[in-house]
């Protein structure tokens, strides 16, 4: 049985995916796991750091979409 995401210890070989929700908020998720409800893969995968670097480049406005739209 594999560890849940909350208890998983990162390994150097772990692959991650950048995910985004309906509020255009970004996060990283284990590439080999099913996505949690409400999240969609953005298409970027890599090491955790590569994914975080990508998020830093693309997520320039941290304001949720619903607040920006109001």
């Amino acid at each position: 049985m594999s560890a849940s995401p909350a208890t998983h210890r990162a390994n150097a070989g772990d692959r991650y995916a950048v995910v985004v929700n309906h509020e255009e908020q970004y996060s990283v998720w284990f590439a080999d796991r099913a996505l949690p409800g409400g999240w969609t893969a953005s298409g970027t995968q890599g090491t955790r750091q590569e994914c975080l670097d990508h998020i830093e480049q693309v997520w320039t406005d941290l304001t949720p979409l619903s607040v920006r739209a109001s």
Side-chain angles (χ1 to χ4, degrees):
M1 181 157 108
S2 64
S4 72
T7 61
H8 178 82
R9 289 186 163 267
N11 295 311
D14 285 344
R15 299 293 290 172
Y16 293 86
V18 175
V19 295
V20 62
N21 67 16
H22 71 282
E23 290 283 3
E24 295 184 357
Q25 298 169 314
Y26 288 81
S27 189
V28 295
W29 191 252
F30 300 105
D32 62 348
R33 306 244 175 114
L35 296 179
W39 293 88
T40 304
S42 75
T44 299
Q45 290 191 6
T47 65
R48 185 173 189 275
Q49 189 59 54
E50 289 168 340
C51 289
L52 291 173
D53 291 345
H54 175 75
I55 290 170
E56 185 176 0
Q57 293 294 311
V58 298
W59 194 13
T60 57
D61 185 351
L62 303 182
T63 309
L65 180 62
S66 61
V67 174
R68 290 188 312 236
S70 59

